[in-house]
Amino acid sequence: DPTPRRGWNNPLARDFGADLRYAVRTLLSAPGFTIAAVATLAIGIGANTAIFSVVDGVLLKPLPFSQPDRIVTVFQDDRKKGATHDDVAPGNFADWRERNTTFSGLAAAEPFALNYTGPDGEEQIYNWNVTQDFFSVLDVRPVLGRLLQPADFVPGSAPVLVLNYGSWQRRFGGDPAIVGKRLIIGGAPMTIVGVLPPTFAYLQSSKMEMYVPKVLTPGDARIRTPAWWHVVGRLKPGVTPERARADMNRVAAQLSTEFPGTNTDVGTTVESL
């Protein structure tokens, strides 16, 4: 009969239904095996999804910055501790910034916790304290307002902050008039001057809610240990990471001679962001 058969009258559908019923009876008759099989599939699918998410985010998607091949991170290579990717001491960063010849900009970010007083009371939030060239090194553009500018880093200037996009949406409902409003941070008012784009995520730190100016004081410049800053730089046009690595190790060698108590066997590691 050339007339197409639909529904369960179709032989293929009947065979599939019989196979399905048989499979269900078999699985129900061996619940231990069924649970193990389902758990194995769930773990395998979950692991593959997680791995693909990492590969997609790290290897396939480009960084949301202009000319990302010129952006690098700089670590301390502390050979005494065997730590090739150590955080950076403020004093070392200050000298790196002054003495290097291969970066158009070098900036630091300091993880910090602040007390925020909101409608529901006081709570602790996390932020990055960033040095002056941080946003210019990454070449970021705000979605609202402006980013930090040189005047914000002058001692005694009015306290300001830039909101992360997620914090703007979550805490303030994406208020389009948020720029210019004041938050009570650490018991004192701070003015919101801008909002970062949704693609911006420095070090993938989604819990960091705001960016605050970090003024490098003479006291900071004398700290060679401990180390807790993160350093990012933009290479000058035509400069390779290898050349920057050699330049930074030149500076590190100078510091090991000048500060043998803290900088002996402390070099640098330069890697693509």
Side-chain angles (χ1 to χ4, degrees):
D1 182 3
T3 304
R5 299 182 181 183
R6 300 182 181 276
W8 292 104
N9 290 325
N10 189 305
L12 289 177
R14 288 199 301 271
D15 290 345
F16 173 76
D19 289 342
L20 182 61
R21 289 191 294 273
Y22 175 76
V24 170
R25 287 197 303 269
T26 302
L27 293 174
L28 290 176
S29 67
F33 169 78
T34 302
I35 292 172
V38 171
T40 300
L41 285 170
I43 292 171
I45 293 170
N48 276 277
T49 302
I51 291 171
F52 175 77
S53 298
V54 172
V55 170
D56 183 52
V58 175
L59 298 180
L60 302 182
K61 287 182 180 177
L63 290 173
F65 311 123
S66 69
Q67 298 179 302
D69 57 309
R70 289 175 53 197
I71 304 176
V72 297
T73 48
V74 188
F75 306 90
Q76 289 187 182
D77 179 4
D78 193 330
R79 291 181 284 275
K80 294 190 297 293
K81 296 194 303 183
T84 60
H85 294 73
D86 203 5
D87 293 335
V88 180
N92 291 340
F93 164 75
D95 286 319
W96 291 358
R97 186 175 62 178
E98 293 299 321
R99 303 187 192 189
N100 86 84
T101 61
T102 49
F103 290 98
S104 61
L106 199 65
E110 173 189 37
F112 211 75
L114 295 167
N115 290 327
Y116 163 62
T117 304
D120 300 323
E122 189 174 87
E123 64 176 301
Q124 190 177 74
I125 61 175
Y126 297 94
N127 72 289
W128 288 112
N129 294 337
V130 297
T131 59
Q132 182 169 326
D133 294 330
F134 180 79
F135 289 117
S136 61
V137 164
L138 297 176
D139 195 18
V140 184
R141 299 291 181 269
V143 293
L144 284 179
R146 65 170 177 84
L147 300 179
L148 302 179
Q149 59 189 20
D152 299 325
F153 294 85
V154 176
S157 60
V160 298
L161 63 91
V162 174
L163 279 179
N164 206 356
Y165 186 89
S167 180
W168 174 50
Q169 293 291 320
R170 183 175 61 256
R171 286 192 182 276
F172 307 104
D175 179 7
I178 195 68
V179 173
K181 292 188 176 180
R182 292 187 174 186
L183 304 181
I184 303 301
I185 305 292
M190 297 183 72
T191 302
I192 300 170
V193 296
V195 178
L196 288 163
T199 54
F200 183 85
Y202 178 64
L203 294 182
Q204 304 297 318
S205 298
S206 58
K207 71 176 183 179
M208 299 300 199
E209 300 200 32
M210 60 186 64
Y211 293 75
V212 177
K214 174 65 180 178
V215 180
L216 192 64
T217 67
D220 291 326
R222 290 192 292 269
I223 299 174
R224 304 287 167 178
T225 184
W228 70 96
W229 284 12
H230 302 265
V231 174
V232 61
R234 180 174 286 271
L235 299 174
K236 291 180 178 179
V239 172
T240 64
E242 292 74 21
R243 181 180 162 192
R245 195 172 299 124
D247 182 42
M248 293 300 291
N249 279 324
R250 172 189 60 81
V251 176
Q254 293 175 355
L255 297 180
S256 67
T257 301
E258 296 171 21
F259 306 100
T262 55
N263 286 62
T264 299
D265 293 327
V266 175
T268 63
T269 299
V270 178
E271 291 187 352
S272 169
L273 181 63

